[in-house]
Amino acid sequence: MATTSTATSKSTPRSRIKPVSTAEIKAELKGLVGFTKEWSSTDSQARGLLYNLLGTIFELSERLSRKSSKEALRAECARCDHIRQSKMFKIADRTVTELLIAYALGTDAKKAPSRSQWKKVIQKGKSAQLPFKRKSFSDWLHENGGVEGVLSGGKKQSPKAARVPFDLVEFASGYDPTTNPIQLSIDLADTPSFSDDSYTNDFALVLLKKAKNLETGAMNGFTVVDVVNNSELVALAAQSIDAQQKKKH
C-alpha cells in the first residue's frame, strides 16, 4: 500500500471555490444522490465510483460552507426522508461535511461505520490542503491506497495468519447427521446453482433464508437462496462447523 502523500497539494495551489446560491443547492444534492446510487447499485466496492462520490462531498463541503448555504443545506436535510433526527444526530449540530455524508448515506445505524470513515478521510484531505476539487480528491485517493490507505497512513496491514490445513474427507467420514438436532428436507432442484458438483465429498453448502407467510406475515420455515459449488468454501464452512462443535464439548 502506498505511503500517504501530499505532493498533489504542494504542487497545486489551493483555490477557494465560489459558494453556490441557495437555488443551486437542490441541484447539487440531486447530483450527489445520483453519484451515490451509481456507486451503490453498480458495486459497493467500485473504487473509482466511490472516490468520485467522496470527491463530490469534499468539493461541496467547501462550496456550502458559508452561513447562507449551510442554512439552506440544513433545511434540505430536514426534508430528506432518509435523514432522521435523534439524540445522536441533530441537524443543527452537524457540520456541512457530516450533513452531506448523511444526505448521501442516510442516518441508518448500519451505515455508521461508513459515515465515520468518510468523515475522517475528508478531514485528512483538508489537512493535506488539497484543492477543493472533486478530481483532485479522487486522484489523491487513487494515489494513496484509497480510503483504507489514507486512514492507515500508508501502514501495511499485518499478514494474515496461515490457514490451518483442514481435511474435509476426514470430517465427512466422522460426521453423524443424526446427532444434529436441525433436520431440514430441502428440494434443491430449482436453485440457481444446483448441479452434481454441489455435492463434493457428499456435502453441499446451501444458503437459506427465513420464509414469510404472505397471508399471515408470520415467519414460516426456510427458502433456499442458492447452492455454493466452490469446494474451498464448502471446506471452510465445514471447518467452522467442526470448530464450533469442538467448543461445545
Side-chain angles (χ1 to χ4, degrees), residues 171 238-249:
F171 170 76
Q239 185 175 9
S240 298
I241 293 170
D242 187 44
Q244 182 174 296
Q245 289 175 336
K246 288 176 179 177
K247 286 182 179 179
K248 292 179 179 179
H249 299 291

Side-chain angles (χ1 to χ4, degrees), residues 102-163:
Y103 203 94
L105 288 179
T107 52
D108 190 300
K110 293 180 180 179
K111 298 293 182 65
S114 294
R115 288 197 301 270
S116 177
Q117 272 198 333
W118 290 16
K119 177 184 174 182
K120 289 176 181 176
V121 79
I122 288 172
Q123 288 174 332
K124 289 277 189 181
K126 291 180 178 180
S127 297
Q129 296 189 339
L130 298 176
F132 286 106
K133 298 283 188 179
R134 176 189 55 77
K135 188 176 185 305
S136 296
F137 190 80
S138 176
D139 289 347
W140 178 68
L141 287 175
H142 276 288
E143 292 167 4
N144 292 286
V147 175
E148 293 80 6
V150 169
L151 295 184
S152 67
K155 295 178 181 177
K156 293 183 178 179
Q157 295 181 345
S158 301
K160 293 182 179 179
R163 185 178 296 170

Side-chain angles (χ1 to χ4, degrees), residues 57-72:
I57 294 174
F58 181 74
E59 181 174 323
L60 285 175
S61 70
E62 171 65 12
R63 298 186 67 188
L64 304 182
S65 62
R66 291 194 177 180
K67 186 176 180 179
S68 59
S69 297
K70 190 184 299 184
E71 291 303 320

